[in-house]
Amino acid sequence: MTITQGTLFKNGRIGLHAAPNGPDAAYAENGLIRAVGMARELELQLSGRDYKTVDWNGAYVLPGLTDSHMHLSMQGMKLSALDFSDTSSKDRMLRQIRERARQTPDGEWIFGLNWNENAFSPALAPTLAELDEAAGQHPLYLTRTCFHAFLANTEAFRRAGVTGETPDPLSGAFGRDESGGLNGWIYEEACKLLIAVQPEPDYAAKKSTIRAACEYALSLGLTAAHTEDLRYLGGIDIMRRIHRELREEGVLFRSHQLIFHDYLDEAERLGLTAGDGDEWLRIGAVKIFSDGAIGGRTALLNAPYHDAPHTSGMAIHSAERLHRLTARARSLGFPIAVHAIGDGAADLTLAAMEKFPLAGSGITNLPDRFIHAQVLDAELLHRMTKLQLIADIQPRFVASDFPWVLDRVGPERTDYLYAWKKIIDAGVICAGGSDAPIEPLNPLLGFHAAMTRRRPDRAEPAEGYLPKERLSLEQSLWLFTEGSALAAAEEAERGQLREGFAADFTVLDRDIAEGEQSLLQAKALMTVVNGQVAYQA
């Protein structure tokens, strides 16, 4: 175990609705909660024992929050790349590129993240000519907020050897103008040709990226995250080494690591299977993409897009290929975690899970994970209830995608659009995440979106978008605590402030049950992981 000397945490207001005369202290030893109660009583019980004391100074204490779906590597990259999250126009985006180009040595790449033309006024992305002018001689590669569509300039295409005559890959496409030439857009796996010619970060840069993301997560009150970073880090051994070294250097952050399907051979060579690891890092499911995203119209729908009848989106894998990947995961002792946003992708994903059922198979105690589940229908939800899967939902998507998503999918699909309450009421276990850096990592913004179904900076619509799908504060907290624990098969050890559970605490400066503004203004004062203070404001 990590520690032997116990710690008494006291003078806190413990739980979501902490009573004035309720428990105000917790005693932790060897990473576990040994007792929760009144400080004066615990101090009497601990009389004569050697222990440390940490004073919460009247702060509000929740079970340690866990983000069930994010990307530490991309979050770390966002902290140093051009960030267009708050950019409201094409012109502003181009000004940011020009400014970065002036600061960047000649010929070096410029990277940017999180542009969203749907949030621009007018809703237009830069053209290829405009990108060329803004970036000058620098190769430019910009990732859309959904991470399924990209923009590049002519110099980036030149370095990648991509021209108007380059054929589209099976699971991707290059945007074309009316004459068939490149227009700057890149969709899905067509990005691989551009990524292949970008500079490869060395080990120190990769470690620095993960460190920055972990430290940022801790500062927001997160004690753990479920993440998939192998496509950036390049290998399971590298991933494990980085997290081990960061832990030894005092970065105390738990991670549950999904394995991107391209790395199954390495997992087999290392003899790894789902659930392997320790109290700090555990191996999870095999990550597979079934489709793209609604914003770039690459999410696979069963019927054409309402605002673009010429397309129904894009399947990343055929049904046969998805079945082969599932069978391979099962043979190595893994559940699958499938990105499925559109109802067409949901159909493909559920068919694979149904063909290779996990329940009762004895393969693993970890569940399959259905990631995003943004566009469903009654039949698809019924099929989900028949499988012992976890739905990984991202409440904050509602704040970013409405109202434009309504026009994308059309009125006939709104009954099961981002239908978190319907999914929960049907009996499907859900876990809450941010998909950061696509959305802000702050879990309290996820709470807000789940409860209000609108952006925090807008009072309208007062009832939120599709308000029947709003969740309570209690349900929102559950998603990021017990829900996330269930997704990792850790429900007997994490997610609750109870004796015998992990001593993970999220300590806030105010009571988030007091109302919307309190929820939005709350800050983490302390993050305790495995009984140790991992962050203190």
Side-chain angles (χ1 to χ4, degrees), residues 53-179:
T53 299
V54 173
D55 197 328
W56 278 327
N57 294 306
Y60 293 81
V61 184
L62 300 176
L65 300 180
T66 295
D67 189 307
S68 73
H69 183 79
M70 59 87 64
H71 306 273
L72 287 170
S73 55
M74 292 190 289
Q75 177 64 53
M77 291 166 63
K78 178 182 178 179
L79 296 174
S80 61
L82 267 176
D83 183 5
F84 302 111
S85 298
D86 297 323
T87 302
S88 58
S89 71
K90 176 179 73 171
D91 290 342
R92 172 59 183 154
M93 182 176 177
L94 291 168
R95 287 199 298 273
Q96 289 175 264
I97 296 169
R98 291 188 194 101
E99 182 178 352
R100 181 58 63 95
R102 287 193 294 269
Q103 301 168 354
T104 303
D106 290 346
E108 289 191 8
W109 284 78
I110 296 173
F111 299 101
L113 303 170
N114 286 81
W115 55 273
N116 180 6
E117 79 286 357
N118 293 311
F120 292 174
S121 181
L124 296 172
T127 65
L128 180 59
E130 289 170 333
L131 295 173
D132 288 343
E133 181 277 326
Q137 297 304 307
H138 298 282
L140 178 72
Y141 186 77
L142 309 177
T143 301
R144 193 181 180 280
T145 187
C146 61
F147 277 67
H148 292 269
F150 313 85
L151 285 172
N153 67 344
T154 299
E155 176 61 15
F157 284 122
R158 185 192 68 78
R159 294 194 184 193
V162 175
T163 69
E165 286 70 47
T166 302
D168 291 338
L170 290 176
S171 300
F174 295 105
R176 314 278 179 174
D177 58 26
E178 292 180 356
S179 65

Side-chain angles (χ1 to χ4, degrees), residues 184-437:
W185 283 76
I186 307 158
Y187 300 95
E188 300 299 341
E189 295 193 352
C191 70
K192 289 183 176 180
L193 291 176
L194 278 292
I195 293 173
V197 296
Q198 294 169 13
E200 170 74 15
D202 61 16
Y203 179 82
K206 293 176 180 179
K207 181 177 174 181
S208 177
T209 295
I210 300 298
R211 176 194 293 274
C214 291
E215 291 177 341
Y216 180 59
L218 288 165
S219 76
L220 296 173
L222 285 165
T223 62
H226 302 185
T227 181
E228 187 280 296
D229 300 305
L230 295 181
R231 288 169 290 164
Y232 171 75
L233 296 177
I236 298 171
D237 261 344
I238 294 173
M239 175 267 290
R240 294 196 299 179
R241 176 187 168 193
I242 285 174
H243 282 274
R244 182 181 67 252
E245 290 178 358
L246 290 177
R247 220 165 36 249
E248 291 169 351
E249 294 164 16
V251 182
L252 305 177
F253 189 70
R254 298 187 193 272
S255 66
H256 182 85
Q257 300 281 340
L258 302 186
I259 304 299
F260 189 62
H261 66 82
D262 282 352
Y263 293 86
L264 269 176
D265 286 346
E266 184 185 5
E268 182 178 24
R269 177 176 59 79
L270 293 171
L272 291 177
T273 190
D276 286 350
D278 58 23
E279 59 197 334
W280 292 101
L281 182 151
R282 285 183 184 158
I283 302 299
V286 172
K287 176 70 179 291
I288 304 170
F289 284 88
S290 186
D291 69 345
I294 297 175
R297 298 187 185 89
T298 58
L300 183 65
L301 302 180
N302 278 327
Y305 279 82
H306 179 260
D307 65 348
H310 62 279
T311 183
S312 296
M314 185 179 298
I316 302 300
H317 302 289
S318 67
E320 293 75 19
R321 169 70 171 156
L322 191 55
H323 288 180
R324 288 197 300 272
L325 289 172
T326 305
R328 171 106 166 104
R330 299 289 197 248
S331 72
L332 296 178
F334 287 93
I336 57 173
V338 185
H339 166 116
I341 286 181
D343 50 5
D347 184 31
L348 290 173
T349 298
L350 293 172
M353 293 177 177
E354 289 161 347
K355 185 174 177 64
F356 302 96
L358 195 58
S361 66
I363 293 171
T364 175
N365 67 330
L366 271 73
D368 282 335
R369 302 172 71 149
F370 189 115
I371 302 172
H372 304 315
Q374 287 165 243
V375 186
L376 298 172
D377 59 33
E379 181 191 2
L380 290 168
L381 181 53
H382 178 70
R383 290 167 65 188
M384 289 172 69
T385 67
K386 300 300 181 183
L387 298 165
Q388 294 179 16
L389 56 76
I390 299 288
D392 272 323
I393 63 172
Q394 294 72 44
R396 172 68 191 191
F397 281 175
V398 175
S400 296
D401 294 0
F402 284 82
W404 59 261
V405 71
L406 296 169
D407 191 43
R408 280 281 198 281
V409 302
E412 69 277 7
R413 281 183 281 234
T414 57
D415 282 352
Y416 288 83
L417 187 65
Y418 301 56
W420 315 140
K421 190 170 190 302
K422 279 191 183 71
I423 296 172
I424 292 171
D425 288 349
V428 176
I429 294 173
C430 294
S434 63
D435 209 3

